[in-house]
Amino acid sequence: MDEKESKEKTKEQMGQLFDKIKSMMPSEAEFIKAEFEGPDIVIYLKNAKAVYQDDMIVRSIASAVKKKLIIRSDEAHLMEPEKAKEAISAIVPKEAVIASIRFMPKFSEVYIEAMKPGLVIGKGGSTLKSISVQTGWCPKVLRTPTMSSETISGVRQLMFNEEDFRKKFLANVGRDINRVIAKSDWLKATALGGYREVGRSSLLLETPNSKILIDCGISPEPSARGSDAEASRAFPYLDSANLSINDLNAVVITHSHMDHMGFIPYLFKYGYDGPVYCTPPTRDLFALLLKDYTKLVQRSGGTPLYDEKDVRKMLLHTITREYNEVTNITDEMKLTYHNAGHILGSGTVHLHVGEGMHNIVHTGDMKYGFTRLFDSANIRYPRVDSLFMESTYGGQNDITPNRHEQERMLMETIKRTLQGGGKVLIPVFAVGRAQEIQLVLESYLANEGPYKMDVPVYLDGMILEASAIHTAYPEYLKESLRNRILNNRSPFESEIFEIAKGERSELMEKGPSIVVASGGMMNGGASVEYFRMLAEDPKNTLIFVGFNSANSLGRRLQNGLREVVLPDQDGKLTPLKVNMNVVTVEGFSGHSDRRQLVGFAENLRPKPKTIFTMHGEEQKCEDLARTLGRLMHVDARAPMNLDTIRLK
Ligand SMILES: [Zn+2]
Ligand SMILES: [Zn+2]
């Protein structure tokens, strides 16, 4: 189909679609127009009340046209904002504690931020319904995080300020998604990064009509900030794939770790202007992490790949989707996120290509097992042909010991160190492991039992901000934790935690303490600063609780390194003796161990036809593929970077 033909067909189909919607609308609703807004269809009505009162109308139209529908009163029929504010304040019960009411006239939306969103929604959505019936505005409810988060308020503010841009952008995306194309007769996947390695994850999926990326990260190794030659190993192989950035239809992010999204602002810097899909918490977390990354690189004297302006661009091009929401991201590709259990907002990606042509499940990073934060990764999908699965702990010996015992071992190590007059340093990824460890520490230190202790736990780096983002999304957390947050008993706000304020060295001059500091692999960040102060005293203990990549300082210390050279306060390289204890306590990972990986693949329904392993060191990817192939009698392989695989 040539471009002209496609354009005509698209116009024709759009006309038919909108006519169908119009014909299904009750006449008293007074249909004005329908238009695309990103993946959704917006219907403007003169009398939206007629529809608000009967949910079935919208539901039956949505299922007939297979799209998400948004109903709006057209601008002329909206209540004046000041009056609407009064009306909303009168409708919503006082106990909801409304923090702000803000309007987005371009979208006919009113955003109500409250401490208790449930009361703004009302039973079965009854309060929301009253608001739309009385004011004409379409109400959106936001939770006020119990811990204030600069990131969340910044992202929300940006969306308000750039309302006009968003409106235009979403209209463009909608046009691109609904472009009529010829039926695709092939589908191929190209491994652009993160195959037989951990870092720079990226997979390109192509049909004759669509090109999308799942993840686009940078390598967590120090080389990511080093020389040009090293840098080439730090980023995905976008150049080699003969890929023009402008040809991409969409970028899909599994979760907010740098090795999965750290390269995306660079795409925007070089002209990409399409959508980035992710869950709402993923958006807020990448806003936090990417801002920190640009700052960190600048501070260490390097040139960041991109600056805050590009991160802002990325934010403005983001389209968020909740778990289990089916979304057309091109005319022939349907995306659905499911819980991955790895970090806040992490999703496995289910992609349905063509009408039943091929189905992909891409795990991103996932945890199929117990954590205090999340439910285990989802294993039920409508259809699965190809499974791309992570293999971080895919090696034969990567068996995590019993979690309960490991928690005791952690607490035992902490107790011994503190009783001996020492200090404990726990380096963690600010997003994910930090919160898991916070939950463990809170549970033992604050509750009756052998480890109840009155000792300060200092949180340093981005941890506090990341924890605040967790409290804004309780629905993404495990039920017991969710309930604590909803009842204002958030463990993240327990009084055992203290924010590390002022000079770090002064904190370390005080008595025994536990420091939980960001910079999980100790390639930089707060953890390294504390390490420099604590390393020489044999009374202190350094405890690793998460993944350390092959060349990281963390891994070298784990392997017994007893002398390091680190820049001192003035940046001068100085040798440092490592006399402190170095202990690794496993079992807190947000990744599945070997048994959990095998369990995930075996329990996945329906059974995949082909398995591709990724996101693991070479031998682990190979070993896991071999094992799964043998156990499950399926074709299982460990592709290399730059391999292209025809899936259909
Ligand atoms: Zn991750
Ligand atoms: Zn990862």
Side-chain angles (χ1 to χ4, degrees), residues 255 257 259-260 342 365 591:
H255 69 286
H257 272 152
D259 57 320
H260 298 263
H342 170 64
D365 290 353
H591 294 277

Side-chain angles (χ1 to χ4, degrees), residues 74 115 127 222 247 252 263 283 448 487 521 545 548 558 569 614 646:
D74 88 305
M115 285 293 276
T127 310
D247 289 346
V252 173
F263 203 61
R283 178 192 61 191
E448 285 311 322
N487 292 315
M521 303 194 292
V545 291
N548 279 308
Q558 264 179 325
Q569 259 124 348
M614 59 183 185
R646 181 166 176 180

Side-chain angles (χ1 to χ4, degrees), residues 447-594:
N447 291 302
E448 285 311 322
Y451 304 108
K452 188 168 165 47
M453 276 178 269
D454 190 18
V455 57
V457 180
Y458 296 118
L459 304 177
D460 203 330
M462 276 186 301
I463 296 170
L464 207 69
E465 184 62 20
S467 299
I469 297 175
H470 281 67
T471 66
Y473 294 102
E475 64 278 19
Y476 281 80
L477 305 170
K478 222 174 185 162
E479 195 183 356
S480 51
L481 177 56
R482 174 165 67 231
N483 290 337
R484 285 189 68 181
I485 292 173
L486 292 177
N487 292 315
N488 287 329
R489 288 186 298 112
S490 162
F492 301 116
E493 287 159 88
S494 161
E495 52 194 30
I496 68 160
F497 299 117
E498 282 182 34
I499 307 154
K501 273 188 271 187
E503 285 294 317
R504 285 167 176 153
S505 53
E506 276 170 31
L507 278 185
M508 291 301 94
E509 275 157 24
K510 293 183 188 169
S513 62
I514 303 169
V515 182
V516 183
S518 61
M521 303 194 292
M522 300 186 61
N523 286 336
S527 61
V528 181
E529 303 243 338
Y530 285 101
F531 173 70
R532 201 175 344 128
M533 291 182 269
L534 300 177
E536 288 183 321
D537 187 344
K539 289 204 293 290
N540 299 333
T541 307
L542 171 65
I543 309 180
F544 288 108
V545 291
F547 179 76
N548 279 308
S549 69
N551 298 322
S552 60
L553 175 58
R555 176 74 68 96
R556 286 183 286 140
L557 288 166
Q558 264 179 325
N559 289 346
L561 186 75
R562 293 322 265 176
E563 192 170 317
V564 287
V565 178
L566 284 175
D568 66 6
Q569 259 124 348
D570 309 316
K572 206 173 122 228
L573 289 175
T574 326
L576 186 69
K577 279 254 184 305
V578 185
N579 299 323
M580 76 192 299
N581 302 299
V582 179
V583 177
T584 301
V585 186
E586 282 166 88
F588 299 100
S589 173
H591 294 277
S592 307
D593 77 348
R594 160 82 166 204

Side-chain angles (χ1 to χ4, degrees), residues 254-260 342-343 346 364-366 390 392 429 431 590-591 615:
T254 60
H255 69 286
S256 261
H257 272 152
M258 289 301 286
D259 57 320
H260 298 263
H342 170 64
I343 61 165
S346 65
D365 290 353
M366 59 93 178
E390 69 127 310
T392 321
F429 283 113
V431 174
H591 294 277
H615 198 288

